[in-house]
Amino acid sequence: CRTAYDSQGGFVHMKTLLHAYAMCQSMFCAIPCPWKIWDEKAKGKMLLFLPIIGLEIGAIWAGLAWLCGFLKLPALVTGLVLCAYPYIITGFIHLDGYMDVTDAVKSWRNLERRREILKDSHVGSFAVIGIVLLMLAQFALFASVPAEANFLILIFIPAVSRCCSSLAVTGLKPMSTSQYADQKKPKTHIVVLSVMLCIFLAAGFLLCGKYGFAPVGCLVGYGLALLRAYKSLDGMNGDISGYCLTIGELCAVAVYALI
C-alpha cells in the first residue's frame, strides 16, 4: 500500500510540474504550445520553468544569428532580425511592462500616482521615448557585432534574464495588485533558481570564452534596473519584471557587441 501511495503521489507531482511547464510556455512565449491547460495547483510552480523557456528562446535566437551569418546578410538586416526577434517571440509581453514602468518611474510623482500610471492602459510620452531609444540601441548594437563573435552566447542571455525575473518575483515583496501577491513562494524555489542561474553563467564562459561576460552584463543590468524600479514603486510585479528583463538583455547585447 505504501509503495502504491508513493507511486501515485509521484505521478501527481510530475503531472503538476508538466502542467506548470505548459502554462509557463503558453503565457510567456509565442511559440505555440499544443497542450492548452490551466491547473491552479501548478500556478505556484510556473516561475521555476521560466528559465527553461528562456533557453528555448535563446536557442532560436542563436540559430537566427547563425542563419544570418550563413546567408551573409548585410549587417543592418542582421541587426534588424536579431533586434526584433526577442520581442516578437514573447508576444511583446515584456516590452509592455517596460513601457508601463518607464512611464511610471519617469513621472516623478508620488507613490500613489506612480502606481496609478503603472496600471493606466494609455501610453505616455516617456514610454514612447523609452521604446524608441531601446529599439535604436538594440538595433545599433546587433548591427555592430563582429562577424567572428560567438553567437552561441545568445542561448544563455534569455535564460539568465528569466532566472533573474523568477528570483525577483519569488524573493521580493509583491505589490498588493500583483498576480503573484497571493501565491506561496517556497524558499526551495529560490535555491533551485539560484543553482540554475549559476549553471547558465558558468556554461556561458565554458562554451563561449570571453563572451560569457554577456550574461553577466545581463545580470548586472537587471539588478540596476530592479533597484530603480522596485524602490520607486515599493513592490514587485510582472511589469517590473518585464522592465528589468528588457534592460538586462540590452546590457547583455551591449557586452556581446563591444567586448
Side-chain angles (χ1 to χ4, degrees):
C1 292
R2 179 66 178 176
T3 303
Y5 174 80
D6 288 343
S7 176
Q8 180 65 18
F11 174 77
V12 171
H13 181 65
M14 181 60 66
K15 184 179 179 181
T16 301
L17 292 176
L18 289 174
H19 286 179
Y21 168 76
M23 290 158 60
C24 189
Q25 175 81 34
S26 298
M27 182 173 291
F28 297 109
C29 184
I31 298 174
C33 181
W35 197 9
K36 306 294 183 182
I37 193 167
W38 184 263
D39 183 353
E40 282 295 328
K41 293 180 180 179
K43 185 179 178 182
K45 295 180 172 60
M46 282 176 56
L47 292 178
L48 288 175
F49 292 94
L50 190 57
I52 306 303
I53 304 304
L55 276 182
E56 294 178 18
I57 292 171
I60 299 173
W61 208 4
L64 282 175
W66 172 84
L67 184 62
C68 289
F70 179 77
L71 297 176
K72 300 187 185 306
L73 296 179
L76 293 180
V77 176
T78 298
L80 174 62
V81 171
L82 297 182
C83 169
Y85 164 76
Y87 307 128
I88 295 173
I89 198 66
T90 54
F92 304 100
I93 186 173
H94 303 303
L95 210 55
D96 178 68
Y98 168 81
M99 296 176 71
D100 288 341
V101 174
T102 299
D103 259 343
V105 171
K106 293 299 182 182
S107 70
W108 299 103
R109 305 292 183 88
N110 59 48
L111 177 59
E112 183 180 357
R113 181 58 183 145
R114 287 196 296 269
R115 287 188 170 184
E116 289 177 0
I117 294 172
L118 182 67
K119 294 185 292 182
D120 193 341
S121 59
H122 295 87
V123 177
S125 57
F126 293 116
V128 174
I129 294 168
I131 199 70
V132 169
L133 291 176
L134 174 73
M135 293 297 180
L136 286 174
Q138 186 131 312
F139 170 72
L141 288 167
F142 268 123
S144 304
V145 173
E148 67 274 10
N150 193 332
F151 59 84
L152 290 178
I153 199 61
L154 295 176
I155 297 174
F156 301 106
I157 292 172
V160 167
S161 66
R162 283 156 180 79
C163 273
C164 292
S165 284
S166 295
L167 281 168
V169 171
T170 302
L172 296 177
K173 178 189 72 175
M175 292 184 191
S176 58
T177 56
S178 172
Q179 62 177 314
Y180 304 107
D182 59 345
Q183 288 187 18
K184 294 181 179 179
K185 301 168 184 177
K187 293 183 179 180
T188 53
H189 287 193
I190 294 178
V191 174
V192 172
L193 291 166
S194 297
V195 170
M196 293 172 71
L197 177 60
C198 292
I199 290 173
F200 295 144
L201 290 173
F205 282 106
L206 289 174
L207 294 179
C208 305
K210 66 177 183 179
Y211 292 101
F213 284 106
V216 175
C218 179
L219 178 63
V220 173
Y222 192 103
L224 293 174
L226 179 61
L227 183 65
R228 177 74 177 94
Y230 183 78
K231 182 179 179 181
S232 178
L233 295 165
D234 192 30
M236 186 69 192
N237 71 354
D239 283 335
I240 294 177
S241 174
Y243 170 81
C244 300
L245 184 151
T246 301
I247 292 177
E249 291 187 352
L250 176 65
C251 292
V253 173
V255 175
Y256 173 55
L258 302 175
I259 194 169

